[in-house]
Amino acid sequence: VVETKDQRKRILDVISTIIAPWFTKPELLADFLTSCYNSGGSMSLLALSGVFYLIQERNLDYPSFYAKLYSLLDRNILHSKHRSRFFRLLDTFLASTHLPAALVASFLKRLARLSLNAPPSAIAFVVPWIYNQLKRHPTCTFMVHREIKDADMKKRMMDHGFEDPFVAEESDPMETKAIDSSLWELVHLQSHYHPNVATIAKIVSEQFTKQSYNMEDFLDHSYATVSVMLSFCAWLREQC
Protein backbone atom coordinates (compact mmCIF):
# COMPACT_ATOMS: atom_id res chain seq x y z
CA VAL A 1 0.00 0.00 0.00
CA VAL A 2 1.35 3.41 -0.97
CA GLU A 3 0.46 5.68 1.92
CA THR A 4 2.10 9.03 1.27
CA LYS A 5 2.51 11.38 -1.66
CA ASP A 6 6.30 11.22 -1.35
CA GLN A 7 6.21 7.43 -1.56
CA ARG A 8 4.06 7.63 -4.67
CA LYS A 9 6.46 10.08 -6.28
CA ARG A 10 9.48 7.88 -5.56
CA ILE A 11 7.71 4.91 -7.14
CA LEU A 12 6.51 6.91 -10.15
CA ASP A 13 10.03 8.22 -10.74
CA VAL A 14 11.26 4.71 -11.60
CA ILE A 15 8.11 2.82 -12.50
CA SER A 16 8.55 2.73 -16.28
CA THR A 17 12.27 1.88 -16.19
CA ILE A 18 12.71 -0.37 -13.15
CA ILE A 19 9.35 -1.60 -11.84
CA ALA A 20 6.99 -2.21 -14.78
CA PRO A 21 9.45 -4.18 -16.98
CA TRP A 22 9.70 -6.84 -14.24
CA PHE A 23 5.93 -7.33 -14.04
CA THR A 24 4.61 -10.34 -15.97
CA LYS A 25 1.34 -8.39 -16.11
CA PRO A 26 2.27 -4.69 -15.94
CA GLU A 27 -1.33 -3.81 -16.80
CA LEU A 28 -2.03 -4.48 -13.11
CA LEU A 29 -0.41 -1.08 -12.53
CA ALA A 30 -3.05 0.65 -14.66
CA ASP A 31 -5.36 1.71 -11.82
CA PHE A 32 -2.47 3.09 -9.76
CA LEU A 33 -0.96 4.97 -12.70
CA THR A 34 -4.20 6.42 -14.03
CA SER A 35 -5.16 7.51 -10.51
CA CYS A 36 -1.84 9.33 -10.15
CA TYR A 37 -2.11 10.75 -13.67
CA ASN A 38 -5.57 12.15 -12.93
CA SER A 39 -4.50 13.73 -9.63
CA GLY A 40 -2.84 16.74 -11.26
CA GLY A 41 0.32 18.70 -10.56
CA SER A 42 3.74 17.09 -10.29
CA MET A 43 2.10 13.73 -9.59
CA SER A 44 0.61 13.75 -13.10
CA LEU A 45 3.95 14.67 -14.64
CA LEU A 46 5.68 11.78 -12.89
CA ALA A 47 2.90 9.32 -13.80
CA LEU A 48 3.06 10.29 -17.46
CA SER A 49 5.93 7.98 -18.41
CA GLY A 50 4.26 5.04 -16.68
CA VAL A 51 0.95 5.62 -18.42
CA PHE A 52 2.74 5.90 -21.74
CA TYR A 53 4.58 2.64 -21.04
CA LEU A 54 1.26 0.84 -20.61
CA ILE A 55 -0.21 2.48 -23.72
CA GLN A 56 2.82 1.54 -25.80
CA GLU A 57 3.60 -1.91 -24.40
CA ARG A 58 0.20 -3.18 -23.22
CA ASN A 59 -2.25 -1.24 -25.40
CA LEU A 60 -3.82 0.53 -22.43
CA ASP A 61 -6.99 2.30 -23.57
CA TYR A 62 -7.00 5.88 -22.29
CA PRO A 63 -9.51 7.80 -24.47
CA SER A 64 -8.94 11.18 -22.83
CA PHE A 65 -5.14 10.93 -22.88
CA TYR A 66 -4.50 14.04 -25.02
CA ALA A 67 -7.12 16.10 -23.20
CA LYS A 68 -5.43 15.27 -19.90
CA LEU A 69 -2.01 15.93 -21.41
CA TYR A 70 -3.23 19.33 -22.61
CA SER A 71 -4.50 20.16 -19.12
CA LEU A 72 -0.96 19.72 -17.76
CA LEU A 73 0.14 22.75 -19.77
CA ASP A 74 -0.48 25.33 -17.08
CA ARG A 75 1.55 28.28 -15.86
CA ASN A 76 3.61 26.04 -13.56
CA ILE A 77 4.87 23.61 -16.21
CA LEU A 78 7.62 25.89 -17.53
CA HIS A 79 8.87 26.45 -13.96
CA SER A 80 8.71 22.79 -12.92
CA LYS A 81 11.86 20.82 -12.12
CA HIS A 82 10.29 18.00 -14.17
CA ARG A 83 9.87 20.12 -17.31
CA SER A 84 12.73 18.48 -19.28
CA ARG A 85 11.27 15.04 -18.64
CA PHE A 86 7.83 16.27 -19.61
CA PHE A 87 8.94 17.84 -22.89
CA ARG A 88 10.85 14.73 -23.93
CA LEU A 89 7.64 12.75 -23.51
CA LEU A 90 5.49 15.45 -25.11
CA ASP A 91 7.75 15.37 -28.15
CA THR A 92 7.10 11.62 -28.41
CA PHE A 93 3.34 11.97 -27.98
CA LEU A 94 3.08 14.55 -30.77
CA ALA A 95 5.45 12.73 -33.12
CA SER A 96 2.78 11.04 -35.23
CA THR A 97 1.99 12.87 -38.44
CA HIS A 98 -1.49 11.33 -38.28
CA LEU A 99 -2.58 13.53 -35.38
CA PRO A 100 -5.27 16.10 -36.24
CA ALA A 101 -3.84 19.53 -37.01
CA ALA A 102 -6.38 21.10 -34.64
CA LEU A 103 -4.99 19.00 -31.76
CA VAL A 104 -1.34 19.86 -32.45
CA ALA A 105 -2.21 23.54 -32.93
CA SER A 106 -3.72 23.67 -29.45
CA PHE A 107 -0.49 22.46 -27.86
CA LEU A 108 1.57 24.94 -29.87
CA LYS A 109 -0.72 27.84 -29.06
CA ARG A 110 -0.95 27.01 -25.35
CA LEU A 111 2.84 26.81 -25.04
CA ALA A 112 3.31 30.01 -27.00
CA ARG A 113 0.89 31.76 -24.64
CA LEU A 114 2.62 30.35 -21.54
CA SER A 115 6.01 31.44 -22.83
CA LEU A 116 5.00 35.10 -22.41
CA ASN A 117 5.46 34.70 -18.65
CA ALA A 118 8.13 31.99 -18.66
CA PRO A 119 11.77 32.24 -17.53
CA PRO A 120 14.33 32.77 -20.31
CA SER A 121 15.70 29.23 -19.96
CA ALA A 122 12.23 27.82 -20.69
CA ILE A 123 11.51 30.18 -23.60
CA ALA A 124 14.77 29.16 -25.24
CA PHE A 125 13.62 25.57 -25.65
CA VAL A 126 9.91 26.28 -26.21
CA VAL A 127 10.64 28.26 -29.38
CA PRO A 128 12.84 25.59 -31.07
CA TRP A 129 10.38 22.93 -29.91
CA ILE A 130 7.51 24.78 -31.62
CA TYR A 131 9.71 25.20 -34.71
CA ASN A 132 10.28 21.42 -34.80
CA GLN A 133 6.56 20.74 -34.48
CA LEU A 134 5.76 23.12 -37.32
CA LYS A 135 8.25 21.27 -39.51
CA ARG A 136 6.69 17.96 -38.49
CA HIS A 137 3.10 19.15 -38.90
CA PRO A 138 3.21 21.57 -41.88
CA THR A 139 -0.57 22.09 -41.85
CA CYS A 140 -0.03 24.12 -38.67
CA THR A 141 2.29 26.60 -40.40
CA PHE A 142 -0.78 28.72 -41.18
CA MET A 143 -0.38 29.84 -37.56
CA VAL A 144 2.85 31.56 -38.58
CA HIS A 145 1.82 32.96 -41.92
CA ARG A 146 -1.85 33.22 -42.81
CA GLU A 147 -2.71 35.32 -45.82
CA ILE A 148 -6.15 36.93 -45.57
CA LYS A 149 -7.69 36.86 -49.04
CA ASP A 150 -11.17 38.04 -48.13
CA ALA A 151 -11.19 41.81 -48.77
CA ASP A 152 -13.96 42.56 -46.25
CA MET A 153 -12.25 40.59 -43.49
CA LYS A 154 -8.93 42.27 -44.25
CA LYS A 155 -10.59 45.69 -44.02
CA ARG A 156 -12.23 44.82 -40.69
CA MET A 157 -8.86 43.74 -39.35
CA MET A 158 -7.27 46.97 -40.53
CA ASP A 159 -10.03 49.06 -38.94
CA HIS A 160 -10.64 47.15 -35.71
CA GLY A 161 -7.61 44.95 -35.20
CA PHE A 162 -7.30 41.19 -34.97
CA GLU A 163 -9.34 39.35 -32.35
CA ASP A 164 -7.61 36.12 -31.37
CA PRO A 165 -10.12 33.27 -31.82
CA PHE A 166 -8.17 30.99 -29.46
CA VAL A 167 -10.34 29.90 -26.51
CA ALA A 168 -7.81 29.65 -23.69
CA GLU A 169 -10.35 28.34 -21.18
CA GLU A 170 -11.40 25.37 -23.36
CA SER A 171 -10.21 22.05 -21.89
CA ASP A 172 -10.72 19.99 -25.05
CA PRO A 173 -7.73 20.56 -27.37
CA MET A 174 -9.91 19.77 -30.36
CA GLU A 175 -12.24 22.68 -29.56
CA THR A 176 -9.88 25.57 -28.74
CA LYS A 177 -9.94 27.07 -32.27
CA ALA A 178 -6.15 27.38 -32.04
CA ILE A 179 -5.82 26.29 -35.66
CA ASP A 180 -7.68 29.50 -36.63
CA SER A 181 -5.35 31.61 -34.51
CA SER A 182 -1.72 32.65 -34.93
CA LEU A 183 1.50 32.41 -32.94
CA TRP A 184 1.71 36.15 -32.36
CA GLU A 185 3.18 35.44 -28.93
CA LEU A 186 6.44 34.30 -30.52
CA VAL A 187 6.67 37.53 -32.50
CA HIS A 188 6.12 39.41 -29.25
CA LEU A 189 9.08 37.52 -27.75
CA GLN A 190 11.29 39.03 -30.43
CA SER A 191 11.22 42.15 -28.23
CA HIS A 192 12.14 40.24 -25.07
CA TYR A 193 14.39 42.00 -22.55
CA HIS A 194 16.96 39.19 -22.82
CA PRO A 195 18.71 39.81 -26.17
CA ASN A 196 19.43 36.14 -26.89
CA VAL A 197 15.80 35.18 -26.22
CA ALA A 198 14.79 37.86 -28.71
CA THR A 199 17.29 36.45 -31.18
CA ILE A 200 16.15 32.83 -30.96
CA ALA A 201 12.49 33.93 -31.19
CA LYS A 202 13.20 35.39 -34.63
CA ILE A 203 13.51 31.90 -36.16
CA VAL A 204 9.73 31.83 -36.65
CA SER A 205 9.86 34.96 -38.82
CA GLU A 206 12.44 33.57 -41.21
CA GLN A 207 12.39 30.85 -43.85
CA PHE A 208 12.12 27.37 -42.36
CA THR A 209 15.33 26.12 -43.95
CA LYS A 210 16.64 24.18 -40.96
CA GLN A 211 15.34 20.61 -40.84
CA SER A 212 14.92 20.58 -37.07
CA TYR A 213 16.66 21.45 -33.82
CA ASN A 214 18.18 18.86 -31.49
CA MET A 215 16.18 19.46 -28.33
CA GLU A 216 18.84 17.86 -26.14
CA ASP A 217 20.88 21.01 -26.79
CA PHE A 218 18.20 23.07 -25.05
CA LEU A 219 16.85 20.95 -22.19
CA ASP A 220 18.21 20.52 -18.64
CA HIS A 221 19.43 24.10 -18.24
CA SER A 222 18.94 26.08 -15.02
CA TYR A 223 19.04 29.78 -14.21
CA ALA A 224 22.78 29.41 -13.52
CA THR A 225 23.54 28.23 -17.07
CA VAL A 226 20.89 30.16 -18.99
CA SER A 227 23.20 32.90 -20.30
CA VAL A 228 25.65 30.40 -21.74
CA MET A 229 22.86 28.31 -23.21
CA LEU A 230 21.09 31.31 -24.75
CA SER A 231 24.34 32.46 -26.34
CA PHE A 232 24.57 28.99 -27.85
CA CYS A 233 20.96 29.34 -29.09
CA ALA A 234 21.81 32.63 -30.77
CA TRP A 235 24.84 31.05 -32.43
CA LEU A 236 22.70 28.13 -33.67
CA ARG A 237 20.23 30.53 -35.25
CA GLU A 238 23.05 32.31 -37.08
CA GLN A 239 24.13 29.01 -38.60
CA CYS A 240 20.71 28.47 -40.25
Side-chain angles (χ1 to χ4, degrees):
V1 178
V2 182
E3 296 181 350
T4 70
K5 185 176 289 188
D6 286 340
Q7 285 176 318
R8 283 183 174 241
K9 288 184 176 181
R10 285 199 296 270
I11 290 173
L12 290 171
D13 199 38
V14 297
I15 199 164
S16 63
T17 55
I18 297 177
I19 299 175
W22 288 96
F23 270 62
T24 54
K25 294 184 178 181
E27 56 269 25
L28 294 174
L29 297 168
D31 288 344
F32 169 69
L33 285 169
T34 53
S35 173
C36 292
Y37 187 47
N38 290 331
S39 63
S42 60
M43 191 77 75
S44 291
L45 296 180
L46 289 171
L48 194 54
S49 58
V51 172
F52 179 64
Y53 177 88
L54 292 185
I55 291 173
Q56 189 178 46
E57 300 295 329
R58 297 291 169 167
N59 297 316
L60 174 69
D61 185 23
Y62 197 106
S64 58
F65 178 77
Y66 281 98
K68 179 60 183 177
L69 186 65
Y70 183 70
S71 73
L72 297 181
L73 296 179
D74 59 20
R75 63 182 180 180
N76 298 317
I77 190 64
L78 295 181
H79 297 266
S80 171
K81 65 180 181 180
H82 304 296
R83 73 186 183 194
S84 295
R85 177 177 180 170
F86 173 77
F87 272 90
R88 288 186 178 97
L89 288 169
L90 184 60
D91 197 57
T92 300
F93 301 148
L94 297 181
S96 174
T97 55
H98 298 293
L99 290 173
L103 176 75
V104 176
S106 292
F107 282 87
L108 302 186
K109 181 65 176 180
R110 175 73 75 93
L111 279 169
R113 183 66 59 86
L114 291 173
S115 68
L116 293 176
N117 296 304
S121 58
I123 299 171
F125 71 75
V126 166
V127 176
W129 186 87
I130 290 177
Y131 179 97
N132 286 357
Q133 296 303 318
L134 291 172
K135 293 287 289 188
R136 184 183 289 165
H137 304 279
T139 50
C140 292
T141 55
F142 288 110
M143 300 175 73
V144 176
H145 178 72
R146 177 180 279 108
E147 184 177 348
I148 307 298
K149 296 182 179 180
D150 185 286
D152 291 337
M153 182 179 294
K154 187 179 291 188
K155 187 178 186 304
R156 283 198 299 272
M157 289 178 62
M158 293 292 291
D159 293 341
H160 306 290
F162 174 75
E163 183 177 348
D164 196 335
F166 176 62
V167 185
E169 299 76 20
E170 175 58 56
S171 59
D172 184 349
M174 292 296 293
E175 301 295 335
T176 64
K177 299 182 181 179
I179 194 65
D180 298 321
S181 182
S182 67
L183 295 175
W184 60 262
E185 296 89 350
L186 300 188
V187 176
H188 182 74
L189 290 175
Q190 293 173 7
S191 302
H192 196 273
Y193 72 87
H194 197 299
N196 287 334
V197 169
T199 297
I200 196 65
K202 290 176 182 176
I203 64 175
V204 297
S205 296
E206 299 171 355
Q207 289 187 349
F208 280 29
T209 54
K210 187 174 180 63
Q211 187 61 31
S212 64
Y213 285 90
N214 179 10
M215 293 312 300
E216 292 304 316
D217 292 334
F218 299 90
L219 297 169
D220 296 321
H221 287 277
S222 64
Y223 286 102
T225 60
V226 66
S227 293
V228 175
M229 187 268 289
L230 286 172
S231 296
F232 174 66
C233 292
W235 177 83
L236 272 181
R237 176 181 168 269
E238 291 172 359
Q239 306 310 304
C240 297

